Amino acid sequence: MASTLATSKVPEVTLGFWVIKILATTLGETGGDAVSMSLGLGYAIGTIIFMALFLAAVAAQIRATTFRPTLYWLTIIASTTVGTTLADFADRSLGIGYAGGSTLLLALLLAALFTWHRSLGSIDVRTVSSPRSELFYWLTIMFSQTLGTALGDWTADSAGLGYLGAAVIFGSALLLVAMAYRWTRLSHTALFWIAFVLTRPLGAVVGDFLDKPLDHGGLALSRYTATAVLLLAIGLCIAWLPQRAAIRQH
């Protein structure tokens, strides 16, 4: 039987996709810290606020009948901000530390991917078109964003590499994944999710570098200013870079 083509509810994975994703993860760090730290609301209240925004965005995304770039990226931004405050809450408020938080979140991410694959037969993002697959997709993304935040903090702080050192580590890891995608036969779906996770700690350490105090290795920029500039950059990228729905085959 000849295959037919249909569009997914998520964007085609292009260079533009990764540019916006890294900007969004950086925004998640500065925006999350702005609410939980600069406003003094704390990690728990910040998590409740951003979780509510994330759930509302996911509900809107599922109700949409086609891929809508602005709505999709707003949902990604919501996932990065809740990932920031949730990881900080687990690492610091619960006292399990960066290692404990990263281990717990990795287990949750792998469990989400395993359950998704067992339930629907694929974790390829091009198959995301039904409400059920979207729920798995966004749950996996939330865990990946939270794990990435914990990994970024662990590498920059506990490992003593600093923000720029950690950025080099994660940037190099992403380059290796891109090379594997281009020149090896490794699963493109697995490489996608590895890259998706790695962009989060890269954005986290870059965000920390922008807004942390000078004596902590940062530039001491205003979190509000950094967040606004990043939001503007994302808006411009959405407007200028090609935004096409991924094509799925069935």
Side-chain angles (χ1 to χ4, degrees):
M1 180 181 295
S3 62
T4 58
L5 298 178
T7 57
S8 174
K9 294 279 292 294
V10 300
E12 182 181 9
V13 179
T14 62
L15 178 59
F17 172 90
W18 293 115
V19 169
I20 301 175
K21 173 62 167 59
I22 292 172
L23 289 172
T25 58
T26 308
L27 169 62
E29 190 70 19
T30 59
D33 287 348
V35 170
S36 62
M37 300 172 68
S38 296
L39 291 179
L41 297 181
Y43 302 126
I45 298 299
T47 297
I48 291 172
I49 292 172
F50 289 125
M51 182 63 76
L53 294 174
F54 173 63
L55 293 176
V58 169
Q61 175 74 15
I62 291 176
R63 284 197 302 269
T65 56
T66 59
F67 168 61
R68 298 181 180 177
T70 301
L71 176 59
Y72 175 84
W73 287 111
L74 284 175
T75 311
I76 288 289
I77 291 171
S79 75
T80 67
T81 49
V82 73
T84 295
T85 55
L86 186 57
D88 287 341
F89 178 75
D91 296 341
R92 300 168 188 175
S93 298
L94 294 183
I96 61 177
Y98 297 133
S102 297
T103 302
L104 173 62
L105 290 163
L106 176 60
L108 290 173
L109 173 61
L110 293 177
L113 288 169
F114 176 78
T115 306
W116 181 2
H117 191 275
R118 285 294 299 269
S119 299
L120 299 180
S122 175
I123 56 174
D124 189 331
V125 296
R126 292 174 297 179
T127 66
V128 177
S129 58
S130 67
R132 194 177 181 194
S133 62
E134 285 190 90
L135 285 173
F136 278 118
Y137 177 77
W138 290 110
L139 179 65
T140 302
I141 281 181
M142 186 189 71
F143 285 145
S144 74
Q145 305 282 37
T146 310
L147 169 63
T149 301
L151 285 175
D153 290 341
W154 188 10
T155 305
D157 296 334
S158 298
L161 295 177
Y163 303 125
L164 292 181
V168 170
I169 293 294
F170 292 118
S172 299
L174 278 170
L175 179 60
L176 290 175
V177 172
M179 293 170 64
Y181 187 93
R182 178 65 178 83
W183 288 301
T184 75
R185 295 185 178 181
L186 294 175
S187 167
H188 283 187
T189 299
L191 291 172
F192 168 84
W193 284 111
I194 292 171
F196 201 95
V197 171
L198 288 174
T199 55
R200 182 63 184 102
L202 176 61
V205 295
V206 171
D208 282 338
F209 176 68
L210 294 175
D211 64 31
K212 286 297 187 284
L214 295 175
D215 57 359
H216 284 68
L219 295 180
L221 300 178
S222 164
R223 293 187 178 107
Y224 305 119
T225 301
T227 299
V229 170
L230 288 165
L231 188 59
L232 176 61
I234 291 171
L236 292 174
C237 286
I238 292 173
W240 291 344
L241 297 178
Q243 295 288 301
R244 299 183 296 269
I247 300 297
R248 60 187 176 89
Q249 195 174 59
H250 66 139

mmCIF file of all heavy atoms in Angstrom, residues 101-138:
data_model
loop_
_atom_site.group_PDB
_atom_site.id
_atom_site.type_symbol
_atom_site.label_atom_id
_atom_site.label_comp_id
_atom_site.label_asym_id
_atom_site.label_seq_id
_atom_site.Cartn_x
_atom_site.Cartn_y
_atom_site.Cartn_z
ATOM 1 N N GLY A 101 19.395 15.081 42.182
ATOM 2 C CA GLY A 101 18.363 15.622 41.305
ATOM 3 C C GLY A 101 18.531 15.148 39.879
ATOM 4 O O GLY A 101 17.560 14.765 39.211
ATOM 5 N N SER A 102 19.773 15.144 39.391
ATOM 6 C CA SER A 102 20.031 14.707 38.011
ATOM 7 C C SER A 102 19.696 13.232 37.833
ATOM 8 O O SER A 102 19.108 12.830 36.815
ATOM 9 C CB SER A 102 21.496 14.955 37.647
ATOM 10 O OG SER A 102 21.803 16.335 37.678
ATOM 11 N N THR A 103 20.050 12.417 38.825
ATOM 12 C CA THR A 103 19.763 10.978 38.745
ATOM 13 C C THR A 103 18.257 10.713 38.738
ATOM 14 O O THR A 103 17.753 9.917 37.936
ATOM 15 C CB THR A 103 20.409 10.242 39.926
ATOM 16 O OG1 THR A 103 21.820 10.473 39.918
ATOM 17 C CG2 THR A 103 20.146 8.746 39.838
ATOM 18 N N LEU A 104 17.537 11.399 39.629
ATOM 19 C CA LEU A 104 16.081 11.233 39.694
ATOM 20 C C LEU A 104 15.421 11.655 38.380
ATOM 21 O O LEU A 104 14.550 10.948 37.844
ATOM 22 C CB LEU A 104 15.518 12.049 40.854
ATOM 23 C CG LEU A 104 13.993 12.126 40.970
ATOM 24 C CD1 LEU A 104 13.402 10.744 41.183
ATOM 25 C CD2 LEU A 104 13.585 13.073 42.098
ATOM 26 N N LEU A 105 15.838 12.789 37.860
ATOM 27 C CA LEU A 105 15.223 13.312 36.644
ATOM 28 C C LEU A 105 15.577 12.477 35.416
ATOM 29 O O LEU A 105 14.747 12.316 34.516
ATOM 30 C CB LEU A 105 15.646 14.770 36.446
ATOM 31 C CG LEU A 105 15.036 15.727 37.476
ATOM 32 C CD1 LEU A 105 15.800 17.037 37.502
ATOM 33 C CD2 LEU A 105 13.569 15.964 37.173
ATOM 34 N N LEU A 106 16.775 11.928 35.392
ATOM 35 C CA LEU A 106 17.144 11.038 34.289
ATOM 36 C C LEU A 106 16.258 9.792 34.304
ATOM 37 O O LEU A 106 15.790 9.331 33.259
ATOM 38 C CB LEU A 106 18.615 10.644 34.393
ATOM 39 C CG LEU A 106 19.120 9.638 33.342
ATOM 40 C CD1 LEU A 106 18.939 10.194 31.935
ATOM 41 C CD2 LEU A 106 20.582 9.281 33.605
ATOM 42 N N ALA A 107 16.016 9.274 35.497
ATOM 43 C CA ALA A 107 15.142 8.101 35.618
ATOM 44 C C ALA A 107 13.727 8.421 35.141
ATOM 45 O O ALA A 107 13.095 7.622 34.435
ATOM 46 C CB ALA A 107 15.118 7.612 37.065
ATOM 47 N N LEU A 108 13.219 9.595 35.502
ATOM 48 C CA LEU A 108 11.876 9.993 35.075
ATOM 49 C C LEU A 108 11.814 10.184 33.556
ATOM 50 O O LEU A 108 10.834 9.798 32.911
ATOM 51 C CB LEU A 108 11.468 11.292 35.786
ATOM 52 C CG LEU A 108 11.202 11.181 37.288
ATOM 53 C CD1 LEU A 108 10.991 12.566 37.890
ATOM 54 C CD2 LEU A 108 9.985 10.297 37.555
ATOM 55 N N LEU A 109 12.860 10.780 32.979
ATOM 56 C CA LEU A 109 12.903 10.981 31.529
ATOM 57 C C LEU A 109 12.915 9.643 30.795
ATOM 58 O O LEU A 109 12.158 9.439 29.838
ATOM 59 C CB LEU A 109 14.141 11.798 31.156
ATOM 60 C CG LEU A 109 14.419 11.962 29.657
ATOM 61 C CD1 LEU A 109 13.275 12.691 28.969
ATOM 62 C CD2 LEU A 109 15.738 12.705 29.438
ATOM 63 N N LEU A 110 13.762 8.722 31.237
ATOM 64 C CA LEU A 110 13.834 7.417 30.587
ATOM 65 C C LEU A 110 12.527 6.651 30.745
ATOM 66 O O LEU A 110 12.084 5.953 29.814
ATOM 67 C CB LEU A 110 15.002 6.612 31.163
ATOM 68 C CG LEU A 110 16.404 7.155 30.861
ATOM 69 C CD1 LEU A 110 17.463 6.313 31.561
ATOM 70 C CD2 LEU A 110 16.662 7.192 29.358
ATOM 71 N N ALA A 111 11.887 6.789 31.909
ATOM 72 C CA ALA A 111 10.603 6.125 32.127
ATOM 73 C C ALA A 111 9.534 6.680 31.197
ATOM 74 O O ALA A 111 8.709 5.922 30.654
ATOM 75 C CB ALA A 111 10.169 6.288 33.592
ATOM 76 N N ALA A 112 9.543 8.005 30.989
ATOM 77 C CA ALA A 112 8.566 8.625 30.083
ATOM 78 C C ALA A 112 8.781 8.142 28.649
ATOM 79 O O ALA A 112 7.818 7.803 27.952
ATOM 80 C CB ALA A 112 8.685 10.145 30.159
ATOM 81 N N LEU A 113 10.035 8.093 28.207
ATOM 82 C CA LEU A 113 10.326 7.630 26.849
ATOM 83 C C LEU A 113 9.956 6.153 26.682
ATOM 84 O O LEU A 113 9.397 5.756 25.656
ATOM 85 C CB LEU A 113 11.810 7.844 26.539
ATOM 86 C CG LEU A 113 12.258 9.295 26.313
ATOM 87 C CD1 LEU A 113 13.783 9.383 26.281
ATOM 88 C CD2 LEU A 113 11.670 9.853 25.018
ATOM 89 N N PHE A 114 10.252 5.346 27.691
ATOM 90 C CA PHE A 114 9.939 3.912 27.632
ATOM 91 C C PHE A 114 8.434 3.687 27.556
ATOM 92 O O PHE A 114 7.943 2.909 26.727
ATOM 93 C CB PHE A 114 10.523 3.208 28.853
ATOM 94 C CG PHE A 114 10.173 1.747 28.939
ATOM 95 C CD1 PHE A 114 10.834 0.813 28.165
ATOM 96 C CD2 PHE A 114 9.166 1.318 29.800
ATOM 97 C CE1 PHE A 114 10.504 -0.538 28.245
ATOM 98 C CE2 PHE A 114 8.828 -0.030 29.884
ATOM 99 C CZ PHE A 114 9.497 -0.964 29.101
ATOM 100 N N THR A 115 7.695 4.395 28.414
ATOM 101 C CA THR A 115 6.244 4.239 28.428
ATOM 102 C C THR A 115 5.625 4.724 27.128
ATOM 103 O O THR A 115 4.696 4.106 26.586
ATOM 104 C CB THR A 115 5.636 5.018 29.615
ATOM 105 O OG1 THR A 115 6.268 4.606 30.827
ATOM 106 C CG2 THR A 115 4.140 4.782 29.716
ATOM 107 N N TRP A 116 6.138 5.836 26.607
ATOM 108 C CA TRP A 116 5.678 6.375 25.326
ATOM 109 C C TRP A 116 5.875 5.342 24.215
ATOM 110 O O TRP A 116 4.958 5.067 23.431
ATOM 111 C CB TRP A 116 6.429 7.670 25.045
ATOM 112 C CG TRP A 116 6.064 8.388 23.782
ATOM 113 C CD1 TRP A 116 5.103 8.043 22.866
ATOM 114 C CD2 TRP A 116 6.676 9.588 23.271
ATOM 115 N NE1 TRP A 116 5.089 8.952 21.823
ATOM 116 C CE2 TRP A 116 6.034 9.907 22.051
ATOM 117 C CE3 TRP A 116 7.695 10.414 23.737
ATOM 118 C CZ2 TRP A 116 6.385 11.017 21.288
ATOM 119 C CZ3 TRP A 116 8.058 11.525 22.983
ATOM 120 C CH2 TRP A 116 7.406 11.822 21.775
ATOM 121 N N HIS A 117 7.074 4.768 24.150
ATOM 122 C CA HIS A 117 7.367 3.799 23.099
ATOM 123 C C HIS A 117 6.513 2.545 23.246
ATOM 124 O O HIS A 117 5.999 2.004 22.253
ATOM 125 C CB HIS A 117 8.851 3.429 23.131
ATOM 126 C CG HIS A 117 9.299 2.641 21.943
ATOM 127 N ND1 HIS A 117 9.176 1.265 21.872
ATOM 128 C CD2 HIS A 117 9.861 3.028 20.761
ATOM 129 C CE1 HIS A 117 9.640 0.839 20.716
ATOM 130 N NE2 HIS A 117 10.068 1.880 20.020
ATOM 131 N N ARG A 118 6.335 2.053 24.476
ATOM 132 C CA ARG A 118 5.525 0.865 24.698
ATOM 133 C C ARG A 118 4.061 1.118 24.357
ATOM 134 O O ARG A 118 3.355 0.223 23.876
ATOM 135 C CB ARG A 118 5.647 0.409 26.153
ATOM 136 C CG ARG A 118 6.949 -0.270 26.504
ATOM 137 C CD ARG A 118 7.126 -1.592 25.783
ATOM 138 N NE ARG A 118 6.071 -2.539 26.121
ATOM 139 C CZ ARG A 118 6.153 -3.407 27.132
ATOM 140 N NH1 ARG A 118 7.247 -3.430 27.907
ATOM 141 N NH2 ARG A 118 5.164 -4.244 27.377
ATOM 142 N N SER A 119 3.590 2.331 24.588
ATOM 143 C CA SER A 119 2.178 2.639 24.373
ATOM 144 C C SER A 119 1.844 2.889 22.910
ATOM 145 O O SER A 119 0.803 2.432 22.413
ATOM 146 C CB SER A 119 1.770 3.860 25.205
ATOM 147 O OG SER A 119 1.947 3.622 26.585
ATOM 148 N N LEU A 120 2.732 3.625 22.209
ATOM 149 C CA LEU A 120 2.411 4.054 20.851
ATOM 150 C C LEU A 120 3.347 3.496 19.785
ATOM 151 O O LEU A 120 3.143 3.722 18.595
ATOM 152 C CB LEU A 120 2.406 5.586 20.782
ATOM 153 C CG LEU A 120 1.380 6.271 21.702
ATOM 154 C CD1 LEU A 120 1.463 7.784 21.559
ATOM 155 C CD2 LEU A 120 -0.027 5.787 21.395
ATOM 156 N N GLY A 121 4.406 2.800 20.210
ATOM 157 C CA GLY A 121 5.282 2.146 19.243
ATOM 158 C C GLY A 121 6.392 2.988 18.669
ATOM 159 O O GLY A 121 7.222 2.495 17.909
ATOM 160 N N SER A 122 6.437 4.276 19.000
ATOM 161 C CA SER A 122 7.479 5.157 18.460
ATOM 162 C C SER A 122 7.616 6.403 19.333
ATOM 163 O O SER A 122 6.633 6.875 19.904
ATOM 164 C CB SER A 122 7.141 5.577 17.029
ATOM 165 O OG SER A 122 8.085 6.519 16.542
ATOM 166 N N ILE A 123 8.839 6.895 19.445
ATOM 167 C CA ILE A 123 9.081 8.177 20.116
ATOM 168 C C ILE A 123 9.622 9.200 19.116
ATOM 169 O O ILE A 123 10.175 10.230 19.501
ATOM 170 C CB ILE A 123 10.055 8.024 21.303
ATOM 171 C CG1 ILE A 123 11.388 7.400 20.845
ATOM 172 C CG2 ILE A 123 9.432 7.207 22.413
ATOM 173 C CD1 ILE A 123 12.451 7.360 21.924
ATOM 174 N N ASP A 124 9.441 8.901 17.836
ATOM 175 C CA ASP A 124 9.831 9.831 16.780
ATOM 176 C C ASP A 124 8.902 11.046 16.837
ATOM 177 O O ASP A 124 7.676 10.897 16.827
ATOM 178 C CB ASP A 124 9.705 9.138 15.424
ATOM 179 C CG ASP A 124 10.288 9.957 14.283
ATOM 180 O OD1 ASP A 124 10.283 11.208 14.383
ATOM 181 O OD2 ASP A 124 10.729 9.358 13.286
ATOM 182 N N VAL A 125 9.466 12.253 16.892
ATOM 183 C CA VAL A 125 8.639 13.451 17.036
ATOM 184 C C VAL A 125 7.738 13.689 15.834
ATOM 185 O O VAL A 125 6.728 14.388 15.937
ATOM 186 C CB VAL A 125 9.514 14.704 17.288
ATOM 187 C CG1 VAL A 125 10.262 14.577 18.600
ATOM 188 C CG2 VAL A 125 10.498 14.937 16.137
ATOM 189 N N ARG A 126 8.070 13.090 14.700
ATOM 190 C CA ARG A 126 7.231 13.261 13.516
ATOM 191 C C ARG A 126 5.894 12.538 13.651
ATOM 192 O O ARG A 126 4.985 12.764 12.859
ATOM 193 C CB ARG A 126 7.973 12.766 12.272
ATOM 194 C CG ARG A 126 9.173 13.619 11.893
ATOM 195 C CD ARG A 126 9.950 12.994 10.758
ATOM 196 N NE ARG A 126 10.497 11.694 11.145
ATOM 197 C CZ ARG A 126 11.210 10.916 10.331
ATOM 198 N NH1 ARG A 126 11.454 11.315 9.089
ATOM 199 N NH2 ARG A 126 11.683 9.756 10.751
ATOM 200 N N THR A 127 5.768 11.677 14.650
ATOM 201 C CA THR A 127 4.502 10.964 14.868
ATOM 202 C C THR A 127 3.578 11.706 15.831
ATOM 203 O O THR A 127 2.486 11.226 16.136
ATOM 204 C CB THR A 127 4.766 9.556 15.430
ATOM 205 O OG1 THR A 127 5.341 9.667 16.745
ATOM 206 C CG2 THR A 127 5.710 8.775 14.528
ATOM 207 N N VAL A 128 4.012 12.864 16.320
ATOM 208 C CA VAL A 128 3.215 13.600 17.304
ATOM 209 C C VAL A 128 2.071 14.319 16.593
ATOM 210 O O VAL A 128 2.257 15.368 15.974
ATOM 211 C CB VAL A 128 4.098 14.607 18.078
ATOM 212 C CG1 VAL A 128 3.247 15.418 19.047
ATOM 213 C CG2 VAL A 128 5.198 13.872 18.832
ATOM 214 N N SER A 129 0.888 13.745 16.680
ATOM 215 C CA SER A 129 -0.268 14.353 16.013
ATOM 216 C C SER A 129 -1.568 14.118 16.770
ATOM 217 O O SER A 129 -2.545 14.828 16.552
ATOM 218 C CB SER A 129 -0.414 13.793 14.591
ATOM 219 O OG SER A 129 -0.549 12.383 14.625
ATOM 220 N N SER A 130 -1.586 13.146 17.664
ATOM 221 C CA SER A 130 -2.795 12.845 18.433
ATOM 222 C C SER A 130 -2.647 13.389 19.851
ATOM 223 O O SER A 130 -1.524 13.601 20.325
ATOM 224 C CB SER A 130 -3.026 11.335 18.488
ATOM 225 O OG SER A 130 -2.000 10.714 19.260
ATOM 226 N N PRO A 131 -3.760 13.611 20.543
ATOM 227 C CA PRO A 131 -3.673 14.096 21.930
ATOM 228 C C PRO A 131 -2.811 13.199 22.824
ATOM 229 O O PRO A 131 -2.050 13.695 23.658
ATOM 230 C CB PRO A 131 -5.133 14.106 22.383
ATOM 231 C CG PRO A 131 -5.908 14.337 21.131
ATOM 232 C CD PRO A 131 -5.160 13.581 20.069
ATOM 233 N N ARG A 132 -2.917 11.882 22.635
ATOM 234 C CA ARG A 132 -2.134 10.973 23.467
ATOM 235 C C ARG A 132 -0.638 11.122 23.214
ATOM 236 O O ARG A 132 0.165 11.182 24.159
ATOM 237 C CB ARG A 132 -2.575 9.531 23.207
ATOM 238 C CG ARG A 132 -2.077 8.544 24.245
ATOM 239 C CD ARG A 132 -2.620 7.166 23.966
ATOM 240 N NE ARG A 132 -2.176 6.228 24.972
ATOM 241 C CZ ARG A 132 -2.274 4.907 24.855
ATOM 242 N NH1 ARG A 132 -2.843 4.392 23.769
ATOM 243 N NH2 ARG A 132 -1.841 4.099 25.802
ATOM 244 N N SER A 133 -0.259 11.174 21.936
ATOM 245 C CA SER A 133 1.168 11.329 21.626
ATOM 246 C C SER A 133 1.674 12.694 22.078
ATOM 247 O O SER A 133 2.826 12.823 22.523
ATOM 248 C CB SER A 133 1.417 11.137 20.125
ATOM 249 O OG SER A 133 0.741 12.115 19.355
ATOM 250 N N GLU A 134 0.836 13.724 22.009
ATOM 251 C CA GLU A 134 1.248 15.044 22.476
ATOM 252 C C GLU A 134 1.468 15.076 23.981
ATOM 253 O O GLU A 134 2.392 15.730 24.471
ATOM 254 C CB GLU A 134 0.208 16.089 22.078
ATOM 255 C CG GLU A 134 0.248 16.470 20.606
ATOM 256 C CD GLU A 134 -0.632 17.673 20.317
ATOM 257 O OE1 GLU A 134 -0.143 18.808 20.403
ATOM 258 O OE2 GLU A 134 -1.824 17.459 20.019
ATOM 259 N N LEU A 135 0.615 14.362 24.724
ATOM 260 C CA LEU A 135 0.803 14.311 26.175
ATOM 261 C C LEU A 135 2.136 13.670 26.512
ATOM 262 O O LEU A 135 2.877 14.169 27.379
ATOM 263 C CB LEU A 135 -0.342 13.536 26.826
ATOM 264 C CG LEU A 135 -1.681 14.266 26.933
ATOM 265 C CD1 LEU A 135 -2.762 13.326 27.447
ATOM 266 C CD2 LEU A 135 -1.558 15.490 27.847
ATOM 267 N N PHE A 136 2.486 12.570 25.849
ATOM 268 C CA PHE A 136 3.788 11.942 26.070
ATOM 269 C C PHE A 136 4.913 12.887 25.660
ATOM 270 O O PHE A 136 5.949 12.989 26.350
ATOM 271 C CB PHE A 136 3.889 10.636 25.276
ATOM 272 C CG PHE A 136 3.254 9.455 25.947
ATOM 273 C CD1 PHE A 136 2.192 8.794 25.353
ATOM 274 C CD2 PHE A 136 3.722 8.996 27.171
ATOM 275 C CE1 PHE A 136 1.600 7.691 25.965
ATOM 276 C CE2 PHE A 136 3.146 7.894 27.792
ATOM 277 C CZ PHE A 136 2.080 7.247 27.194
ATOM 278 N N TYR A 137 4.741 13.560 24.535
ATOM 279 C CA TYR A 137 5.759 14.473 24.019
ATOM 280 C C TYR A 137 6.060 15.583 25.026
ATOM 281 O O TYR A 137 7.229 15.834 25.361
ATOM 282 C CB TYR A 137 5.255 15.063 22.701
ATOM 283 C CG TYR A 137 6.159 16.091 22.049
ATOM 284 C CD1 TYR A 137 7.297 15.706 21.358
ATOM 285 C CD2 TYR A 137 5.845 17.450 22.093
ATOM 286 C CE1 TYR A 137 8.110 16.646 20.729
ATOM 287 C CE2 TYR A 137 6.651 18.394 21.465
ATOM 288 C CZ TYR A 137 7.780 17.980 20.792
ATOM 289 O OH TYR A 137 8.583 18.917 20.181
ATOM 290 N N TRP A 138 5.025 16.235 25.524
ATOM 291 C CA TRP A 138 5.244 17.364 26.426
ATOM 292 C C TRP A 138 5.688 16.919 27.811
ATOM 293 O O TRP A 138 6.456 17.629 28.480
ATOM 294 C CB TRP A 138 3.990 18.237 26.499
ATOM 295 C CG TRP A 138 3.761 18.967 25.215
ATOM 296 C CD1 TRP A 138 2.771 18.764 24.299
ATOM 297 C CD2 TRP A 138 4.585 20.021 24.674
ATOM 298 N NE1 TRP A 138 2.922 19.613 23.225
ATOM 299 C CE2 TRP A 138 4.018 20.389 23.428
ATOM 300 C CE3 TRP A 138 5.731 20.677 25.117
ATOM 301 C CZ2 TRP A 138 4.574 21.390 22.633
ATOM 302 C CZ3 TRP A 138 6.285 21.666 24.324
ATOM 303 C CH2 TRP A 138 5.702 22.011 23.094
#
